[in-house]
Structures are given as C-alpha cells and as structure tokens.
Amino acid sequence: MDEDGQYLYHPLENIEDVDLFYEAVERNHLTKAISPERPYTYWTIELYDQKNGIRGGGGLGVLAADTRRIAEKMDVPFALITPFYPYETHQVVENGLMRDEHISVDYKKFGFNFVDTVNIKCCGNLCRLDVIEKRFKNTRIIAITEPNFGELYSGMSGSDHRLYQEVALGFGGYAALKLLGLKPAIMQLNEVATFFAALARLDELVKNGMDFYEAVVYTRKHTLYTNHTLVQAAEAEFSYDQFEKYVFPNLYSPALKKWLSDKFTDGHIKLSSATIEIAELRSGVSKLHTRVANYRDIAGERIKFKPITNGIDMDNWVLPEILEFYKKSEIIDEINLPTGSYIEKLDKNLTADVVHELKSTGRKVMNEILKKYPDHNGKILHFGDDDFIFCFKRRFVDYKRPDLPFRDLQRLRNVLEPRNAHYILSGRVHTGDEVMNQKLQKLLEAIKSDDYLNGHVHYIPDYNEELAYGLSVGSNAAINVPIVGLEACGTSWMKDMANLNFLISTHDGGVADASLNSYLNISGDNESEELNMLYQRMEEALAANQNDFDLETIIKQQLAAYLPVISGSRMLKDYLDYLFPA
Ligand SMILES: *Cc1c(COP(=O)(O)O)cnc(C)c1O
C-alpha cells in the first residue's frame, strides 16, 4: 500500500524472484526457465487480431497476433499483453473523398473475460484500469482497458495521452500479470512504447528487497528489446514534466527514479535510450534492418541488434489448399517449418498446372471476400481465372511508394492493356497524414482521367486482414516498392509468395535476406531507373504467366529462397534459441 492507503499495484505474494536471483548469481548464471506460471511474455502497444475483436494499425500488430498463434501451435507458454482500445478507425469513401469513421468495440463480444481492476497513478489521481483476458491453450491475451483509453495511435506520438497509454500498458500490464499469478520468464518488448513494463518489473524487484544494481542486472538479463524502426532520430521525446505526471508517481524506488532521470538530456527523454539500458537482449526484424538501424546508447556507442527476421503464421495466411499441397509434398512439416529436403520436394512437385489450379481456387475465395468490399467507385469487383491481377496492398505511407507505378500513366496502360490486366490497390492512410491523403486523392483522379485505367485500376478502401488474405490468395503478382533502406522487414510480400504469386520488389527489408536473383527484383541508381525496371518486371510477370517453364522456374526460385524466412515457426524458434540458449 502507498500513503493513500491504496494498492499501487498488486504486490508479489513472496519474494521468489529475489531468491531465484541470488541462487542464480551463486551458480553464476541467471535462470529464465519457461513454464505455464513463468511464460514468455510479449508486450505490444498494437495487436491486430480481428477474430478476437482487436484491430491494429499494420504490420506490428499483425506480427503480434501471428506470434501468439504460432506459440499456441508450438505449445510455448506465452502471454501477450496489450491495450484493448475501445474505439477503432475505419476508412470510408464519401463523394469520392476518404474520411475516417470511429466505431466503438465491446470486448465482451469477443470472448474476453473481465479479471479485476488494477490502479496506476496519473497526474495526482488514481486511474483504475480493467484487466481482461482470453485464453487459448497454453497462451493468452491479457489486455488493459478503460472507457477513456482512446484509440490506437491517437494524438501526437509525444503527447500526454500516448504516454498515459504506454504507462497504463506497462505498469497496469505488469500488475495484471501478478494478479493472474504469472511471473515472466522473459519480457519481449515489441518496440519502445512497451518500455514501462520492464521498468515496473525492475521497480518491483527493488521493492521486494533486491539491491538496486542487482535488480538492474536481473531485469536486463530477462528483457528483449525488439526494434522495428530504423532511425532513432525520428522517435518522439517526452519531457521531464510529463514523467513527473505519469511515470515517477508509479515508482517505489528512489534509486530507480534517479537512474531514470539520468536518461534525460536537456529535459527530454527518448524511450529507446532507456530501453537499451534496461534490455541486454536486443533484436532487429531482418538482416538488412540490423545492419542499417542506427541506434546509440547513452555513451554514443552504436547498438548491435541480433537479426531475427519476421515471419508469418502460415495457417492464417496461406490458402488451405496451398498449405495442404506443401504438407502433402513434404515441403513443410506439421508445424510449418520447411523440411530438410524442401527444395528437392518443390522441384519435384510444383508444376505450372499445380500453380494454375491452386490460384484458381484462391481467385474464387478472393471474389467471395470482395463482395464485402466495394472499390472506390462503390463497385463490387469480380475476376475471372484468366484476369491477371497486380496488387499493391499495404499502408499508404510515403516510403512504400504506393504511387510509383502511376508516375507514367501511359506506360502503365501500355503494360496492362495488351493482356487486359488489372491493378488493385488497398491500404489505409495514417489518420492525419494529409500529404498521403492528397497523393491518394490525386492518384484516384488521375486514374479516372484515363478510360482504360478507370476500368482496370481499383482502389479498395479500409484495408484490413481479411482483404490482405483475399488479395494474397487471389491475385497474381505483388508490387512491393519501398525506398531501399526504409522498410524494416515487411510481411505482406511473404503472404503473396507463400500463396504462389510473383513478387516484384525492391531489395529491402526481409526481402533482402536472400539473393536479389530469387524474385523479380527492381534495382536502379535513381527512381526513374527503378520505375523503368518496375514496368519491365510487370511485363515479365505477365509473359511468365503464359509460359509454363518460366512460371515454374520463378515460383520455385522464390519459395526455395524464402520459405524458411516466411515460416513464422522459424521466427519463434529463432527467438527461443536466442533467449533460452541450450
Ligand atoms: C500483413 C499486414 C500488414 C503488414 O504489411 P507490411 O508488408 O509489413 O507493410 C499490415 N496490415 C495488414 C492488415 C496486414 O494483413
């Protein structure tokens, strides 16, 4: 209890962690054994898991949902801790203009159970947070919420409300674990917005009698910071004043307050600087990302990240018939890991006929899904087996260059028209990103001005998981053109490759894990060279689709190079090997 006579958070019933620590120190190694009571804990400010009523913003949230599902399949005791936002944003088109619509969501409709409340301190008040939970075998989602929690990424990233949400997840989430009788074997901090969870643990160890510096050592050994961003400079800062209101009141240890205060420069803190100090284990999300991510510790030393490339939950993203083909042909095993002989098996079993047949099944599934999602003209799209579809589906942010193929409309028309091909675009603009909103609007107007393109380029609003799935199983070629060096990993191209689509891509993010000869690569010294190559590659894909030998060769090459990358089971295995070395 604190001086107000209120529980700050539910205290440990004993000091087991502390005893464990001293025991381990004597044996000169720190234990991190995993069990149902000591699960792998995964902290994320965003979860994208529509089936469980939680809509995220993009890749970070999809990855979190995939990771939990894979842990469930691999029987890894796993707790995912995240906020439940009571409102979510949808993109609607009205009179040809996009706008956001806010819809309230009720966790009870998605099978979450109310556990209890926990309190944190904010601006001199006690804030009561609801803890809700949903279990799936050995894994669970624990969520923190309250009616005024707000929306995901609402407001500016350095705002009071964001800090409140992050503090609520960290301190509230840690208290929720205690409430449920769980102690983390490991804390994976998915980006720095989850920093406060590790801070809460450190504080609790001190509160329970551990020497401060030893508590720092203990927390560091058990915390993994997974970085998904490339530039530290772009990160928002919080001020000391903001910390006085939201963070310090939740800390018991004066030594910890001092430690944290030392992380400020000129009255401001970047959470990454503090996260680097609290986590000895650090990972990045692709090989290229770990090479280019430029993060410095307080002393100015460059931080090394262990490359663990993101993967996808293939059960969730791959057409069941395609997955069955992979399994029956012994290309992947029962937990979706590529087999030792997967390249031979691909070579033997993957024929152009198989590809055409499976893509035809995927096309039907996509058509069904598209009935729910009219395009920007309000039209329901339906495609025949012979229609070739290029698809760009991902968030509309500048560095992903959704408008690249539209720089030369005549050239685009020359690519599509001879084979009567279509181009589908889907992706939401981040709320408040006026530059991208304008670009999207201009793009749609440009398409309307050309009678061929107007019937063959389709924008589908309100991009979500279901569209991501439908478009992956039903199109033929994915366009992925981030400016090289700016994509940390990207996962939507993995969904396409696994569903037997051609990948037309720049060599960036996770795509750069393998050789640039293994897919339809776009390179160039400048954007106009890249653009030229993009149109060439689109023509190549169209031609290859008509030529069995070329089709087989390209799809086999892609899968031979990337199936191990794509496999989310490989990703979780990589994390387990890194965190719990034999
Ligand atoms: C897969 C997916 C993403 C991630 O896409 P990136 O390639 O990482 O940009 C984002 N949003 C949705 C809805 C997805 O399904």
Side-chain angles (χ1 to χ4, degrees), residues 48 58-59 62 317 394 400 463-465 468 490-493 495:
Y48 206 140
V62 169
W317 294 109
R394 46 184 53 76
K400 292 183 189 264
Y463 180 53
N464 66 9
E465 285 169 302
T491 53
S492 63
W493 61 270
K495 301 167 193 168

Side-chain angles (χ1 to χ4, degrees), residues 3 77 96 323 370 526:
E3 358 23 287
L323 203 64
L370 288 180
N526 53 52

Side-chain angles (χ1 to χ4, degrees), residues 405-418 450 452-453 535 539:
F406 302 91
R407 301 277 161 87
D408 185 342
L409 293 180
Q410 189 53 49
R411 185 80 198 272
L412 178 64
R413 180 173 172 158
N414 292 347
V415 172
L416 300 179
E417 201 168 6
D450 181 303
Y452 182 81
L453 293 180
Y535 295 129
E539 276 165 348

Side-chain angles (χ1 to χ4, degrees), residues 203-251:
D203 193 47
E204 196 205 33
L205 292 173
V206 178
K207 192 173 181 181
N208 285 311
M210 196 182 277
D211 170 81
F212 175 72
Y213 290 99
E214 286 174 340
V216 173
V217 171
Y218 186 89
T219 307
R220 281 172 55 87
K221 295 271 181 211
H222 292 79
T223 305
L224 164 65
Y225 162 33
T226 300
N227 173 282
H228 299 257
T229 328
L230 292 141
V231 251
Q232 197 171 19
E235 184 186 319
E237 298 185 336
F238 293 111
S239 71
Y240 197 85
D241 284 351
Q242 287 178 302
F243 265 51
E244 296 235 69
K245 283 191 246 164
Y246 294 94
V247 183
F248 295 134
N250 291 296
L251 293 178

